[in-house]
Amino acid sequence: MYAPRGPVLARSAQDPDLPAASPAPTEVADAVAEYVRGSRKAVAVSIEPDEDAGQFELGSGWRETKTPVLPARTLILDLRLSEDDLIRDMSKKHRQYVRKSGREESLEIRAVTTAAQLDECLDVYRETSERADFGLHEDSYYHDAFSMLGKDAPVWASYVDGKPVAFLFLAKSSRTAFELYGGMNETGQRLRANYALKWHAICEMKKLGIERYDFGGLINDGVTTFKKGWASHENLLAGSWDRPGPGYSVWTEGLPLVKKVVRGLRRR
């Protein structure tokens, strides 16, 4: 069982319905782990708290994850800043490309609102995965997230002649927007559609009063180079932690081996 960027604890100062003596974050994490152990028989509970490194303490039953899903190193924009301040903090190249792609008359950015439109975006995603050599879930996985999260899973796409050339799939809460998936085809690459598209998403989240825009992790690849140009800083979060259950050792030792074999077969 996995809680990306969670568990989230509402502080009593922010939520008047909570009692004055709210539980500590570690108590919440322990309670979640005990509930999952009793109701789901999971081999482990994996959490990745949305807290700065060193600010989230856990009890002795937790251990650092050997195979984290999300990297602790990420980039989080402060959307309380003005648009001018956010642009000023970008790299010079990013400022140029955001403005240039935003003026591209052939590009039209609009929200993805139907399952058929999402399917068109997933076609772009498949092309992206083949080019960048990363794996994808079945289409039903993305459709489940799209339909179950509803308005809290906004998707935007850049269109040329009525067809998507780039897309960006987010999840959001009342405070934080988080990038889930994104991709672009060759036409999108040529027009640098991802610059105008990401800036559009950032501005839309800012209009909603969301305070934080999380780029979803930095892992030292080409995508990370693109992400780092959006700000002059990085963020380091608390990292990934497991509460072991039955079968944990088999899971932690066997899963990396299976992934390695699958990657090898895919390359062949």
Side-chain angles (χ1 to χ4, degrees):
M1 301 297 289
Y2 171 50
R5 295 291 192 265
V8 177
L9 177 66
R11 306 307 201 273
S12 57
Q14 298 169 335
D15 188 344
D17 293 331
L18 286 178
S22 298
T26 185
E27 292 175 323
V28 174
D30 287 345
V32 169
E34 289 302 320
Y35 171 77
V36 170
R37 177 177 294 174
S39 64
R40 295 292 184 267
K41 310 302 182 186
V43 297
V45 179
S46 295
I47 65 173
E48 290 169 335
D50 192 8
E51 304 279 351
D52 291 337
Q55 300 299 310
F56 194 93
E57 296 183 1
L58 291 169
S60 59
W62 295 86
R63 64 184 67 180
E64 196 163 4
T65 306
K66 291 185 178 180
T67 55
V69 180
L70 293 174
R73 178 173 159 247
T74 188
L75 171 60
I76 301 175
L77 295 182
D78 183 352
L79 299 189
R80 294 170 297 183
L81 299 174
S82 69
E83 290 185 12
D84 287 342
D85 285 339
L86 291 170
I87 290 176
R88 199 160 26 242
D89 200 35
M90 297 178 191
S91 71
K92 181 179 179 180
K93 182 186 76 172
H94 274 55
R95 288 196 296 270
Q96 292 173 341
Y97 287 155
V98 165
R99 289 164 177 155
K100 183 177 180 180
S101 61
R103 294 192 298 266
E104 180 59 55
E105 293 183 358
S106 62
L107 281 176
E108 178 188 5
I109 298 175
R110 57 180 196 257
V112 173
T113 59
T114 68
Q117 291 171 345
L118 182 61
D119 280 329
E120 291 182 322
C121 292
L122 293 178
D123 288 339
V124 174
Y125 205 22
R126 276 185 284 275
E127 184 174 333
T128 305
S129 73
E130 291 172 3
R131 184 176 65 246
D133 190 27
F134 62 85
L136 299 179
H137 299 287
E138 294 181 356
D139 286 2
S140 60
Y141 182 95
Y142 305 104
H143 278 280
D144 283 347
F146 184 69
S147 61
M148 294 171 72
L149 289 174
K151 64 181 179 61
D152 291 323
V155 182
W156 287 280
S158 292
Y159 289 83
V160 173
D161 296 330
K163 294 293 183 182
V165 299
F167 80 97
L168 189 59
F169 192 143
L170 305 180
K172 70 175 180 66
S173 67
S174 60
R175 181 170 180 253
T176 301
F178 181 86
E179 291 186 356
L180 290 176
Y181 320 107
M184 60 181 173
N185 60 21
E186 290 184 1
T187 301
Q189 283 187 304
R190 177 172 54 81
L191 297 174
R192 304 191 188 280
N194 53 340
Y195 287 89
L197 180 61
K198 195 180 293 286
W199 179 240
H200 177 85
I202 290 168
C203 292
E204 288 297 310
M205 293 295 96
K206 182 174 172 58
K207 289 177 185 176
L208 291 177
I210 288 173
E211 298 177 359
R212 304 163 73 246
Y213 186 98
D214 190 332
F215 280 67
L218 304 174
I219 57 174
N220 293 326
D221 61 354
V223 175
T224 292
T225 301
F226 169 66
K227 290 179 179 180
K228 290 175 66 176
W230 290 87
S232 59
H233 72 278
E234 294 180 11
N235 298 83
L236 185 64
L237 299 181
S240 304
W241 298 86
D242 287 348
R243 181 73 174 265
Y248 178 75
S249 297
V250 175
W251 174 262
T252 54
E253 300 298 330
L255 182 61
L257 178 60
V258 171
K259 287 184 175 180
K260 183 178 180 180
V261 171
V262 170
R263 282 195 296 267
L265 292 174
R266 185 182 297 123
R267 291 191 184 98
R268 291 182 185 178

